[in-house]
Amino acid sequence: MTPIRVLLADDQDLIRQGLRAVLAPFDDVTIIGEAADGVAAVAAAQRLQPDVTLMDIRMPRLDGVEATRRLPGHRIIMLTTFALDQYILDALRAGASGFLLKDTPAEEIAHAIRLVAAGQALLSPAVTRRLIDQLSDGLPRKPPPPELDTLTAREREILTMLATGLSNSEIAAQLHIGEGTVKSHVSRTLTKLGLRDRTQAALLAHDIGLA
């Protein structure tokens, strides 16, 4: 199996060295480059095209949020020191697939890399919902994107349910339809809205007042 190609972006040498060390035992993960600030991270990601980038939120010259915003389509895991870092919500809106604490055990980091490389969001629906509630309380609503009008009534209903932290099986039970049908609706909803995963869908639903 071809190893997952990972870029490390952190302004602290010790953090980058530590990540290299803890990921070295995993044969399915390989470090292909490093960057010590946000500008270098964007350049390295564009040049190397990693499968996953581990991106520190706070870096000189360009923070991890803005660096992520400049890398549309890239799969990025944000690194943070605190579980409720003030930048996490912005990072998820910018396109990050999730976040990890810097003291996360090696096995969990490797598992997170595998999940994101496979196109999945790192945060579970329920965790996403709690994070949004804790970080965005009181933020002003945003106007809905024009793409929202392309959703069917069922897709719009499912978008609202995604934002409440329900899994596919729970949505299926509530709507009395098959789980496979729900999965298809979710996939079409994400495609129509130009979203990568359920995390971004939950954020959008909250931003426009559906949640």
Side-chain angles (χ1 to χ4, degrees), residues 12-24:
Q12 298 183 55
D13 290 340
L14 286 177
I15 295 295
R16 298 197 308 273
Q17 292 171 14
L19 288 169
R20 274 190 177 274
V22 300
L23 292 173

Side-chain angles (χ1 to χ4, degrees), residues 17 20 33-34 42 51 62 82 84 109 136 157 163 176 180 186:
Q17 292 171 14
R20 274 190 177 274
E34 297 184 11
V42 172
D51 299 312
L62 194 70
F82 304 103
L84 290 180
I109 296 176
S136 64
E157 183 177 26
H176 305 290
V186 170

Side-chain angles (χ1 to χ4, degrees), residues 193-207:
L193 295 176
L195 303 174
R196 187 171 55 224
D197 53 46
R198 302 167 71 104
T199 300
Q200 291 188 333
L203 286 167
L204 173 64
H206 183 277
D207 285 345

Side-chain angles (χ1 to χ4, degrees), residues 26-45:
F26 300 97
D27 294 335
D28 60 339
V29 174
T30 183
I31 308 301
I32 61 168
E34 297 184 11
D37 61 60
V39 172
V42 172

Side-chain angles (χ1 to χ4, degrees), residues 168-177 182:
N168 286 353
S169 60
E170 290 169 331
I171 293 173
Q174 287 201 21
L175 297 180
H176 305 290
I177 58 178
V182 173

Side-chain angles (χ1 to χ4, degrees), residues 97-198:
S97 294
F99 73 96
L100 288 174
L101 296 179
K102 290 186 177 181
D103 60 357
T104 299
E107 185 60 55
E108 292 183 24
I109 296 176
H111 178 64
I113 289 171
R114 295 182 192 111
L115 279 179
V116 172
Q120 300 182 46
L122 180 56
L123 301 179
S124 70
V127 171
T128 299
R129 180 59 187 166
R130 288 199 301 272
L131 180 64
I132 293 170
D133 285 343
Q134 291 170 353
L135 292 182
S136 64
D137 186 40
L139 290 181
R141 299 299 185 207
K142 297 181 180 180
E147 293 82 5
L148 192 68
D149 292 335
T150 68
L151 300 185
T152 65
R154 177 66 86 189
E155 289 165 352
R156 191 183 180 99
E157 183 177 26
I158 286 178
L159 174 63
T160 302
M161 298 176 82
L162 287 177
T164 65
L166 297 180
S167 65
N168 286 353
S169 60
E170 290 169 331
I171 293 173
Q174 287 201 21
L175 297 180
H176 305 290
I177 58 178
E179 190 171 344
T181 302
V182 173
K183 185 176 181 181
S184 296
H185 281 309
V186 170
S187 179
R188 286 196 296 271
T189 299
L190 295 179
T191 298
K192 287 181 179 181
L193 295 176
L195 303 174
R196 187 171 55 224
D197 53 46
R198 302 167 71 104

